[in-house]
Amino acid sequence: MARFPRVTTREQVSPEHQQHYDYIAGSRGHVVGPFTVLLNSPDVAQRIAHVGTYIRFENTLPGALRELAILTVAREWNCQFEWTAHQPIGESEGLSAETIAAVRDRTAPDGLSGDEELVFRYVSSLLEKGRVPDDLFQQAQERFGTRTVTDLTATAGYYSMLACVLNAGAVTPDTGTPHLLPDAEY
């Protein structure tokens, strides 16, 4: 059961804040997951959604690598909703079943190669250690360039924030939706 009230309809938001609901619904097609919690604070919800529009839809990372970064974050935070939402997107962006399994089963970077391994190691290091070693940062910058490494770093931070919202709020996939990540024990 969710810990925060879930805002799922426009009418649940006060009239002076309904434009925030409209922005989120318009930019994503509907209000779901973390935004059902974040809309308890409409201003923060819209500001986060604005950043998320760039991170998710306009990022300079190729789609498969963006989704690999998101799945790496979801796995690190054991965020069932985030993983279950993004695994199918990763598949549609071209991530192989082997790559997804390696992240899910915590065997990566084994099973990853090239750019996938670099993205996984970068995001994992940032989340596990709170830092990226100089040599790894240099490898990423040489391979992807400064703007894309900035986008990769922001992607890890943005989806970590969403994982915190989802996990704190105990938001899980809708009833009937299979959980694609092993459930974490709390």
Side-chain angles (χ1 to χ4, degrees):
M1 171 177 259
R3 295 175 176 167
F4 292 100
R6 301 280 297 272
V7 179
T8 58
T9 66
R10 188 175 195 269
E11 294 71 33
Q12 290 175 271
V13 182
S14 64
E16 68 269 17
H17 291 114
Q18 287 180 348
Q19 78 272 12
H20 299 317
Y21 183 96
D22 295 342
Y23 174 82
I24 293 165
S27 67
R28 286 157 175 75
H30 57 289
V31 173
V32 68
F35 293 101
T36 66
V37 171
L38 289 167
L39 275 163
N40 286 293
S41 179
D43 290 320
V44 79
Q46 182 171 353
R47 292 168 194 219
I48 289 170
H50 182 73
V51 171
T53 297
Y54 175 79
I55 296 293
R56 171 87 188 282
F57 303 110
E58 301 166 13
N59 198 323
T60 60
L61 281 165
L65 296 179
R66 180 196 67 237
E67 293 302 319
L68 175 61
I70 295 166
L71 290 175
T72 302
V73 169
R75 188 61 178 124
E76 185 65 31
W77 284 99
N78 289 313
C79 186
Q80 185 65 250
F81 186 96
E82 197 167 67
W83 182 279
T84 298
H86 283 274
Q87 180 181 323
I89 298 168
E91 291 166 351
S92 71
E93 289 288 349
L95 286 179
S96 70
E98 294 78 19
T99 295
I100 292 168
V103 175
R104 181 194 63 229
D105 299 341
R106 298 187 186 274
T107 60
D110 292 343
L112 307 183
S113 61
D115 291 350
E116 289 180 347
E117 181 181 353
L118 185 55
V119 165
F120 176 82
R121 289 189 310 116
Y122 186 97
V123 172
S124 293
S125 179
L126 183 58
L127 296 180
E128 291 172 9
K129 299 175 183 151
R131 306 255 185 288
V132 177
D134 288 342
D135 63 328
L136 181 55
F137 185 88
Q138 185 66 33
Q139 289 172 7
Q141 194 163 27
E142 287 173 5
R143 173 63 186 104
F144 300 121
T146 300
R147 181 175 179 185
T148 300
V149 172
T150 303
D151 283 353
L152 174 60
T153 306
T155 298
Y158 175 78
Y159 280 95
S160 289
M161 179 194 52
L162 292 184
C164 288
V165 168
L166 291 160
N167 286 351
V171 178
T172 58
D174 292 335
T175 303
T177 301
H179 291 194
L180 302 177
L181 186 66
D183 285 319
E185 306 257 340
Y186 295 103

